[in-house]
């Protein structure tokens, strides 16, 4: 891809994918926190 070594392409794709999945997971796990505070 664009003449880059395979390891570089791997790093450039895995790290952003991991970050997107991590952020989406954090969002879905914490989206009900505001409701939990109101129920107490």
């Amino acid at each position: 891809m664009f003449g880059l070594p395979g390891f570089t392409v791997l790093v450039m794709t895995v790290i952003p994918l991991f970050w997107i999945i991590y952020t989406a997971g954090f969002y879905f796990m914490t989206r009900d926190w505001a409701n939990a505070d109101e129920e107490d």
Side-chain angles (χ1 to χ4, degrees), residues 4-36:
L4 296 171
F7 179 74
T8 304
V9 174
L10 183 69
V11 169
M12 289 172 60
T13 54
V14 168
I15 291 177
L17 283 176
F18 170 76
W19 193 250
I20 291 168
I21 293 168
Y22 177 84
T23 305
F26 181 80
Y27 171 74
F28 286 119
M29 294 297 289
T30 61
R31 63 183 172 176
D32 293 329
W33 280 7
N35 294 336

